[in-house]
Structures are given as C-alpha cells and as structure tokens.
C-alpha cells in the first residue's frame, strides 16, 4: 500500500462522520427544488393559484443564492462551516415549515419564500464543500463526491416523502414534517459529527493555544489567477446550457416521438448518471492530476447533446444521451469544486467558490428561459442542442493546460518570509 493510500485511509477513519452528516445536510437544500412539484396540485386546489405563481418560490430561492452566496462564503472563511451548517439547518428547517402558514395571499407567499431562501443560503454546496475540503487532502475528491451526492438523495426521496405526507397528513402538515424532520435530522448529525478544520483548530486552541490557519490565495490573487477565471467561466457557460436543457428534458425527449411516460422514464436516468459522474470523477481526481478528468467530464456533455438530437431515431440513443448529460452535470460540479480547492487553496475558499456558485445559479435561473424562448421561436429544441454542443466543448477546452497544483504556504509562514504561489 502506497503512502497516499495509507493517508487516504487515515482521513476516512478520522473524518467519515463528517461525510455522512454533510451528505444528509446537503440533501435538505436539494430537497426544496424537487419537492415543489408535488405541492403544486394541492396548492392550486387550496388557493386557485397558477403554477407560475407557485413557482415564484424557486425563482426567489435561486436569486437569493446568487446574490448572497459570496457574503456567506466570507462568513464561512471567517467562522468555519460547522457553525454555518448547524444554524443554517435549524433556521431553514423552521422557515420551510412556516410555508404551511400560507393563507392564499401571493404577497405572503413571496415573503415566506424570501425568509426561507435567505436562511437556506447557509446550507448551500459551498458550506459542505469547504468543510470537507478542509480536512480531506489525499482523498478529497472521493469525499467531496460522497457529500455532494446529497443532491441525488434529495432528488430521489423528496417527491416520494412529500407525496406520502400530503396523502396521509395534508400539505400543511407535510411542510412541517419535512421542515422539522428532514432538516432536524441533518442538524442533529451536524451537531454530533460535522467538525471542519476551523472547529478542530478551535479545539486545539483550547488545549495548546494554537489556531489553525488555512493556506491559499487572497481574494485579489484569485481575481487575477487565470486558472480560477477559466474554471469560473466554464461553469457559468455550462450552467446556462445545462440548466436550460435539464429543465426541458422531458418535453425535449417527448418531442422525438416517444410517449410522455417513456420520456419521463428516460429522463430519470440522468440522476443515475449524475451519481456515477460524482463518484467516478472523485475517485479519478485523487489519482490522476492533469487535464484528462476535467476535460472528459465536460466533453461527455457535448456527446449527450448530440445524441439527444435523435439523428439515430432510437430510444437507446436518447437513453445514452441522458446518461451522458447526467454524468457531465454530476462530474462538473464535483470537478470544479475540487479544482478550486487545489488551485485557489482553502484560505478564502468560501468567497471564491461562493462567487462561482452564484454565477452558476445565475445561469440556472436564465438558462431555462432562454431554452424556452428558442423552442417558442423555432418550434423545436434542435437549435438549442446544436448550440449547446460547441459550448460544452469550449468549456472542456478551458481545463486543458491548467498545470500542476500549486503548493501554498500558510499565512503565518508567508509573513515570516515565504511567498504564496504567484497568480497565473
């Protein structure tokens, strides 16, 4: 067994509880998006709202994450992920439960979602990624993959849990049970098991008067670093085309001539592809340094878009295209999180990745609108797919030639005379 493998095993032995807590905590954040559809019909019946009015909540949810992400990132860098995650789960769970208090007023509905969305920013992916990256080094890629799989848990179980509760308890009780139950479980696990480098450093401060200071780029250096900029631009472009096609995936597949039920079944395989993308890319990143893993992770998406054009007129090609799409989406976030932790370091990871994540949310907010506009103008999704292919290939090329990971001195060492790795 190599030294790297022994170190990886030691990391998992010491910090596996953090991974479990992070996975469950992050699943609540993802649950919000995938449960709303289940609540639409009972809300329509209760208040006579349109689905567009009901969906205002997700728009607020996305825009809040876009604008508040960098601020929350700065708080993470200052106080650590543990405090943020714990308070975030408690507050977001309580405010999600408050959606049960809806009276039929759209103004009240918007206010409830604004309050919930501002609290939920405290449990977005940046929180869990920063905490995981701070304690995993040799096995960081696989650990991040496991934690970020929480989004797949939310995607898989949110509709099932919400539907079961609505059928047996009613939609108001469903909001309460999910808010206090799901988020409550996450909060308990975080309180017991989620200790990042900041929290562990505080423990050592109490015992030996030492404080953990994480190495990495300053915010100014990151803004000038060509590697960070390339990763950020690639993710912004990917989010525009990826979100647009993902939201429209079922009607896109159905437009090829397959039935709506079969289209939904084919689209569901994107989730399986996403899980595979996270774990395979995470495992490879811990073993292979260079452009191969990030390039291929994004290029697979271009292959998926090509297959979804349906030039082969077979459901097998559509299924393969959907799997490629899911794989690229799952691997893309995983790869980008990992690369930022390596090329920018952990000193200001929260702010740096928070800005990137916010730009991705911006793309996710407008991508579906652009996709719908293209369909309305042309009568099909073909133009969208033909455009998405070269965009994804461009994204994959941005990862070529990033070079070896830099070695950063700790801030206290830099003060003593060592210099941080220069900006590219």
């Amino acid at each position: 067994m190599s030294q790297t493998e022994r170190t990886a095993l030691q990391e998992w032995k010491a910090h596996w509880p953090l991974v479990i807590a992070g996975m469950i905590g992050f699943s609540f954040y993802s649950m919000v998006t995938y449960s709303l559809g289940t609540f639409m019909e009972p809300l329509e019946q209760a208040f006579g709202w349109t689905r567009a009015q009901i969906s205002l909540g997700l728009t607020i949810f996305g825009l809040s994450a876009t604008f508040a992400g960098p601020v929350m990132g700065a708080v993470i860098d200052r106080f650590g992920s543990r405090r943020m995650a714990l308070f975030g789960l408690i507050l977001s769970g309580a405010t999600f439960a408050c959606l049960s208090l809806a009276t039929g007023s759209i103004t009240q509905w918007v206010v409830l979602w604004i309050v919930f969305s501002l609290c939920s920013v405290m449990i977005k992916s940046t929180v869990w990624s920063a905490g995981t990256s701070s304690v995993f080094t040799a096995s960081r890629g696989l650990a991040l993959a496991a934690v970020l799989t929480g989004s797949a848990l939310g995607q898989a179980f949110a509709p099932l849990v919400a539907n079961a509760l609505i059928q047996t308890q009613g939609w108001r009780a469903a909001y309460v049970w999910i808010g206090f139950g799901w988020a409550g479980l996450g909060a308990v696990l975080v309180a017991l098991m989620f200790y990042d480098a900041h929290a562990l450093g505080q423990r050592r401060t109490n015992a030996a008067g030492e404080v953990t200071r994480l190495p990495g780029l300053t915010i100014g250096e990151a803004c000038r670093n060509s590697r960070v900029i390339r990763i950020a631009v690639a993710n912004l472009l990917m989010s525009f085309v990826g979100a647009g096609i993902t939201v429209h995936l079922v009607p896109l597949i159905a437009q090829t001539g397959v039935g709506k039920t079969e289209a939904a079944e084919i689209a569901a395989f994107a989730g399986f592809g996403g899980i595979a993308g996270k774990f395979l890319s995470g495992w490879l990143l811990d073993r292979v340094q260079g452009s191969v893993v990030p390039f291929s992770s994004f290029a697979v998406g271009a292959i998926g878009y090509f297959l979804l054009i349906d030039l082969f007129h077979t459901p097998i090609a559509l299924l393969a295209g959907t799997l490629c799409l899911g794989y690229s989406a799952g691997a893309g976030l995983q790869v980008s999180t990992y690369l930022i932790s390596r090329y920018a370091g952990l000193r200001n990871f929260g702010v740096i990745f928070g800005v990137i994540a916010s730009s991705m949310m911006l793309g996710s907010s407008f991508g579906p609108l652009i996709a719908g506009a293209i369909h309305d103008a042309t009568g099909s999704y073909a133009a969208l797919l033909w455009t998405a292919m070269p965009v994804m290939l461009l994204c994959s090329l941005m990862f070529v030639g990033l070079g070896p990971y830099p070695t950063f001195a700790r801030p206290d060492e830099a003060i003593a005379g060592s210099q941080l790795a220069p900006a590219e």
Side-chain angles (χ1 to χ4, degrees):
M1 183 182 293
S2 68
Q3 179 60 38
T4 299
E5 290 173 328
R6 283 194 294 269
T7 303
L9 288 174
Q10 290 170 355
E11 288 177 348
W12 278 98
K13 184 177 180 180
H15 303 299
W16 66 265
L18 175 147
V19 173
I20 300 299
M23 182 190 300
I24 301 301
F26 185 42
S27 71
F28 179 75
Y29 182 81
S30 303
M31 173 279 308
V32 176
T33 299
Y34 300 110
S35 66
L36 183 62
T38 313
F39 283 98
M40 281 189 174
E41 186 174 341
L43 288 171
E44 281 180 320
Q45 295 174 351
F47 304 127
W49 289 344
T50 66
R51 298 200 174 189
Q53 290 174 318
I54 297 171
S55 299
L56 276 173
L58 279 186
T59 302
I60 296 168
F61 182 74
L63 291 177
S64 297
T66 298
F67 293 108
V71 177
M72 291 298 104
V75 176
I76 294 169
D77 293 331
R78 176 64 179 85
F79 297 104
S81 296
R82 173 177 163 79
R83 296 181 187 178
M84 180 75 75
L86 183 57
F87 288 114
L89 282 168
I90 293 171
L91 292 175
S92 59
T95 51
F96 186 82
C98 286
L99 294 174
S100 65
L101 303 176
T103 62
S105 166
I106 290 296
T107 301
Q108 183 213 31
W109 181 248
V110 168
V111 171
L112 288 172
W113 271 96
I114 289 174
V115 175
F116 165 71
S117 298
L118 292 176
C119 293
S120 68
V121 173
M122 300 170 69
I123 55 169
K124 60 182 297 188
S125 62
T126 309
V127 178
W128 313 106
S129 299
T132 304
S133 298
S134 70
V135 296
F136 280 88
T137 300
S139 190
R140 183 179 296 170
L142 190 59
L144 283 170
V147 169
L148 296 177
T149 301
S151 62
L153 293 180
Q155 182 178 12
F157 290 104
L160 300 176
V161 172
N163 184 65
L165 288 171
I166 290 170
Q167 295 298 321
T168 58
Q169 305 294 324
W171 67 268
R172 293 186 186 275
Y175 274 123
V176 175
W177 277 104
I178 293 174
F180 288 112
W182 198 322
L185 172 62
V188 170
L189 292 177
V190 167
L192 295 175
M193 302 191 299
F194 196 82
Y195 288 96
D196 62 352
H198 283 269
L200 295 171
Q202 185 61 47
R203 285 178 168 183
R204 286 196 291 273
T205 298
N206 294 337
E210 299 174 354
V211 178
T212 295
R213 304 183 70 184
L214 301 177
L217 299 178
T218 65
I219 296 175
E221 289 170 333
C223 291
R224 299 189 301 271
N225 191 287
S226 64
R227 295 163 173 170
V228 174
I229 293 171
R230 286 160 65 180
I231 295 170
V233 172
N235 277 275
L236 175 61
L237 295 176
M238 180 194 71
S239 66
F240 266 106
V241 297
I245 291 175
T246 298
V247 169
H248 291 262
L249 188 56
V250 173
L252 186 153
I253 295 173
Q255 192 167 276
T256 64
V258 303
K260 288 186 177 180
T261 300
E262 187 178 1
E265 292 172 348
I266 292 174
F269 277 85
F272 296 105
I275 294 173
K278 283 183 173 65
F279 279 102
L280 181 56
S281 62
W283 182 81
L284 288 171
L285 285 168
D286 288 331
R287 289 158 176 79
V288 180
Q289 182 175 162
S291 304
V292 175
V293 176
F295 172 83
S296 59
S297 297
F298 280 71
V300 165
I303 297 173
Y305 296 142
F306 173 74
L307 292 173
L308 287 173
I309 295 174
D310 196 35
L311 297 177
F312 302 101
H313 305 293
T314 169
I316 298 299
L318 296 174
L319 177 61
T322 301
L323 285 170
C324 288
L325 217 65
Y327 180 93
S328 185
L333 177 60
Q334 157 69 15
V335 167
S336 299
T337 305
Y338 181 89
L339 292 181
I340 289 296
S341 75
R342 292 298 189 186
Y343 286 119
L346 302 176
R347 182 179 182 181
N348 292 290
F349 177 86
V351 173
I352 297 168
F353 191 74
V355 171
I356 294 175
S358 292
S359 70
M360 293 172 66
M361 289 298 296
L362 189 65
S364 298
S365 298
F366 290 98
L369 296 176
I370 295 173
I374 292 175
H375 178 271
D376 293 340
T378 64
S380 77
Y381 291 102
L384 174 66
L385 293 168
W386 282 112
T387 303
M389 276 192 294
V391 169
M392 284 300 290
L393 286 175
L394 174 62
C395 291
S396 64
L397 290 172
M398 288 183 181
F399 292 95
V400 175
L402 289 176
Y405 303 141
T407 300
F408 299 104
R410 289 187 176 276
D412 50 353
E413 294 172 352
I415 293 173
S418 299
Q419 296 296 320
L420 291 171
E424 291 296 314

